[in-house]
C-alpha cells in the first residue's frame, strides 16, 4: 500500500528512513553516528536541517538531496514520490557553490643585476671586505682535537716510607700495577710507580696514593732535576734500603729534600748539595749513606 506523499522535510526524512530499512529513529541515528535527540528533532521538525546533515541523510537513505529538501517526483526508490509539491516553509536551500578560483598569474623571473654579478666574480666565496675595499680571508678553522691518550700499565716497584729501612731480600715483590693514560711527552717503558705508605708527604700525596715517576739515569738527572721537582729517592745504608718521595728545595747555598707533612716524627728536611743532586748518585760523607734518584714524579693517582 503506497504511503501518503510527505509534505515536510521531517515527513520525507521519516519516509526515506523507513524505506531504507531502519524501523526506529534511534537505529538510524546510531548507524549514522548522529546523536539520537538531534535526529529526533530533525524528523519532528523542531530543528532545522543544515546543508551538511541533508547530504548525510540523503546519501545514507538512498534519496536525492533535492527531493529531501523540496519534495517532488524524484524520490527514486524511496516509495514516497508523487505529484510535484511546492517547497514547504521549513525547507533549507542547499549551500551555494563557490565560484571557481582563477589560476595564479605567472611571475616573471628576476632580471639579473650585471653589477652584482661582477662583484660576485671579483670576490671569491668566503671572502669579505672591510670598508668595501680590502678583501680578507676568513679565520682558519679550529685545529682538530688531540688524539686520545693511550692507556698504559705501570708496575709498582716499591713502597715509599721515610725512615723505614728494609733488607731487599725481604722486600715485597708483588705490589701490583696501575693503569693510566700515558702523560703527554712520556714513554710507557720509562715509567715506574711507588706506593706512598706513610704520611711523610700527605700534604701532596695522601697515604695510600700512588705516584708515577719517569726513571732517571745519572746523566738525565744532571740535565733534568731542578728546584721544586718532586722525586723518588732510594737510600742504601749497611745493605738496607729506604724509599721516600720528597721535594727538592733550596736552603742557603745548599739543597734539601723537604717532606710536606704535619706529622712531627716525619716532618723535616734532609741536606742535599747541588753537586750531589746533579750527579744522580748522592753519597753522604759522614754516614756513608748512598742515595740515588729513582725518578721524577710526573703524575699522582690518589688513594688506591
Amino acid at each position: 500500500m503506497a504511503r501518503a506523499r510527505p509534505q515536510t522535510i521531517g515527513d520525507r526524512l521519516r519516509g526515506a528512513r523507513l524505506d531504507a530499512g531502519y524501523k526506529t529513529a534511534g537505529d538510524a541515528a546510531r548507524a549514522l553516528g548522529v546523536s539520537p535527540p538531534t535526529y529526533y528533532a530533525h524528523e519532528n521538525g523542531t530543528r532545522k536541517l543544515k546543508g551538511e546533515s541533508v547530504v548525510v541523510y540523503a546519501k545514507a537513505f538512498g534519496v536525492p538531496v533535492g527531493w529531501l529538501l523540496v519534495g517532488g517526483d524524484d524520490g527514486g526508490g524511496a516509495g514516497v514520490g508523487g505529484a510535484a509539491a511546492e517547497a514547504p516553509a521549513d525547507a533549507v536551500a542547499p549551500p551555494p557553490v563557490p565560484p571557481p578560483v582563477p589560476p595564479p598569474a605567472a611571475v616573471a623571473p628576476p632580471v639579473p643585476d650585471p653589477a652584482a654579478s661582477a662583484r660576485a666574480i671579483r670576490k671569491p666565496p668566503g671572502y669579505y671586505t672591510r670598508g668595501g675595499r680590502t678583501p680578507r680571508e676568513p679565520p682558519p678553522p679550529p685545529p682538530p682535537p688531540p688524539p686520545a691518550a693511550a692507556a698504559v700499565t705501570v708496575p709498582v716497584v716499591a713502597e715509599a716510607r721515610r725512615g723505614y729501612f728494609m733488607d731487599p731480600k725481604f722486600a715485597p715483590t708483588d705490589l701490583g700495577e696501575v693503569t693510566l693514560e700515558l702523560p703527554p711527552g712520556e714513554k710507557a717503558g720509562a715509567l715506574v710507580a711507588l706506593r706512598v705508605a706513610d704520611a711523610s708527604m700527605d700534604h701532596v700525596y695522601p697515604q695510600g696514593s700512588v705516584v708515577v715517576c719517569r726513571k732517571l739515569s745519572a746523566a738525565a738527572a744532571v740535565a733534568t732535576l731542578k728546584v721544586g721537582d718532586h722525586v723518588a729517592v732510594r737510600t742504601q745504608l749497611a745493605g738496607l734500603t729506604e724509599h721516600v718521595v720528597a721535594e727538592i728545595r733550596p736552603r742557603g747555598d745548599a739543597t734539601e729534600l723537604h717532606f710536606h707533612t704535619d706529622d712531627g716524627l716525619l716532618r723535616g728536611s734532609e741536606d742535599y748539595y747541588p753537586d750531589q743532586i746533579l750527579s744522580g748518585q748522592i753519597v753522604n760523607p759522614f754516614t756513608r749513606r748512598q742515595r740515588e734518584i729513582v725518578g721524577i714524579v710526573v703524575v699522582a693517582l690518589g688513594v688506591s
Side-chain angles (χ1 to χ4, degrees), residues 64-241:
V65 175
W67 176 84
L68 192 57
L69 285 173
V70 300
D73 295 332
D74 56 349
V80 292
E86 295 182 357
D90 59 349
V92 178
V97 179
V101 179
V107 180
V111 179
D113 182 5
S117 300
R119 288 194 299 271
I121 294 174
R122 288 197 303 268
K123 297 177 184 178
Y127 277 64
Y128 62 95
T129 61
R130 172 180 293 179
R133 290 176 296 183
T134 305
R136 298 183 61 195
E137 294 186 3
V152 295
T153 300
V154 180
V156 179
V157 297
E159 290 184 334
R161 185 179 302 178
R162 187 183 184 197
Y164 186 80
F165 288 83
M166 176 180 289
D167 189 332
K169 294 185 297 184
F170 301 104
T173 58
D174 186 12
L175 296 176
E177 55 190 17
V178 293
T179 302
L180 70 157
E181 291 184 356
L182 187 64
E186 302 295 337
K187 297 180 180 180
L191 298 180
V192 66
L194 283 79
R195 190 179 306 276
V196 180
D198 65 0
S200 60
M201 284 287 285
D202 60 357
H203 286 185
V204 186
Y205 311 118
Q207 185 173 353
S209 60
V210 174
V211 293
V212 178
C213 307
R214 183 193 325 123
K215 292 184 290 186
L216 294 177
S217 64
V222 172
T224 304
L225 291 180
K226 61 184 182 300
V227 170
D229 285 341
H230 289 190
V231 293
V233 180
R234 178 170 56 242
T235 303
Q236 294 179 341
L237 174 64
L240 304 179
T241 302

Side-chain angles (χ1 to χ4, degrees), residues 13 17 20 24 33 100 110 126 163 201 211 216 262 265 269 271 300-301 304:
L13 182 60
R17 186 251 302 165
T24 65
M201 284 287 285
V211 293
L216 294 177
D262 292 329
L265 296 177
S269 303
D271 290 342
L301 300 181
S304 63

